[in-house]
Amino acid sequence: MRRKLIAGNWKMNMTPSEALELIEKLEGLVKNDEVDVCYCVPAIDIVPAVEAVKGSNVAIGAQNLYFEEKGAYTGEISAAMLTDAGVKYVIMGHSERRGYFGETDEDINKKLVKALEHKLIPIVCCGESLEQRQQGLTLSLIRDQIRTAFNGVSAADAADVVIAYEPIWAIGTGVTATSEQAEEVCADIRRYIAELYDEATAENIRILYGGSMNAQNAAELLSMADIDGGLIGGASLKTDFGSIVNYNK
């Protein structure tokens, strides 16, 4: 049985002091022994956030990393810096990074390989625009994204990666894919991992849904056979996040 993961993507929100206030506010609301919980916070919040969640059930994740070990890369953050700070997860391939900052599938592959080298758990995002969905390109596009991202990654390492399906048309729009639409894509991702690797790897890998998951629709989405959790945006900044973590109660 795959353990559910509920990860909050705080995006560019929360100063360090605001982060500590939110973590304290959520502390008693995100306890669920059956679910892994992670806050993916802005880089400047990582150190205080790691300290604030010590002794709790919450892990801290980063929103990005650079694929070089170290060097003259002003403004970037390395995998070694993240692990030394106590980070467990790291998001890569989010549509905002792809769209606003021009990151490619090849960039995501380099980041994925580097994260695995440092024993970070990558959360690899994939997803389609509304136009691509209307053109019937969803499954082929996502398979392309995954194939390139996982290039050169062994089956043993792939099993530890988390994949997040985030339809771009449902991110921050209030529009959510139906549970059937989300399950269709997540199930196809699992089938494709089996084609790339094997059935055991496909059964072990966790696939999240991201795209306006909230307290009202979480239970239905998370009841789907191939949806193993959520990558939560706006709702992760509210006390509603606790209801998502405790969707099964």
Side-chain angles (χ1 to χ4, degrees), residues 49-246:
V50 167
E51 192 63 31
V53 301
K54 279 184 178 176
S56 77
N57 64 311
V58 177
I60 295 299
Q63 297 176 12
N64 192 24
L65 58 69
Y66 195 53
F67 49 73
E68 295 290 355
E69 194 67 24
K70 60 182 177 180
Y73 305 104
T74 300
E76 294 295 339
I77 189 166
S78 73
M81 293 173 183
L82 296 179
T83 54
D84 191 66
V87 166
K88 184 174 182 178
Y89 297 89
V90 57
I91 298 173
M92 55 193 65
H94 194 282
S95 61
E96 291 161 3
R97 296 295 312 175
R98 295 174 188 265
Y100 299 151
F101 303 103
E103 293 188 2
T104 66
D105 292 335
E106 290 74 18
D107 292 331
I108 309 315
N109 172 243
K110 292 176 184 177
K111 292 183 178 193
L112 175 55
V113 170
K114 182 56 66 175
L116 290 169
E117 282 179 13
H118 286 265
K119 308 302 182 187
L120 290 162
I121 300 175
I123 301 176
V124 180
C125 299
C126 57
E128 83 286 11
S129 68
L130 181 58
E131 181 180 6
Q132 289 164 333
R133 169 167 279 273
Q134 291 171 336
Q135 292 174 350
L137 300 175
T138 297
L139 300 184
S140 62
L141 174 78
I142 288 172
R143 284 179 169 231
D144 285 345
Q145 291 174 337
I146 291 172
R147 181 177 62 253
T148 304
F150 281 78
N151 183 40
V153 175
S154 69
D157 282 340
D160 293 329
V161 177
V162 176
I163 297 175
Y165 167 54
E166 292 207 316
I168 298 169
W169 47 273
I171 298 174
T173 62
V175 177
T176 310
T178 65
S179 53
E180 290 78 16
Q181 287 173 320
E183 169 64 13
E184 176 191 19
V185 178
C186 292
D188 191 69
I189 290 171
R190 200 175 304 283
R191 282 192 294 271
Y192 190 52
I193 293 295
E195 292 175 23
L196 286 176
Y197 296 103
D198 50 57
E199 290 289 345
T201 304
E203 281 303 309
N204 284 326
I205 202 164
R206 290 191 286 187
I207 303 172
L208 314 183
Y209 171 73
S212 298
M213 182 184 284
N214 55 49
Q216 286 69 48
N217 59 34
E220 182 179 350
L221 285 162
L222 293 170
S223 71
M224 298 292 107
D226 292 288
I227 299 178
D228 305 315
L231 182 57
I232 317 299
S236 69
L237 302 172
K238 307 172 184 176
T239 53
D240 280 1
F241 189 66
S243 299
I244 300 173
V245 170
N246 289 284

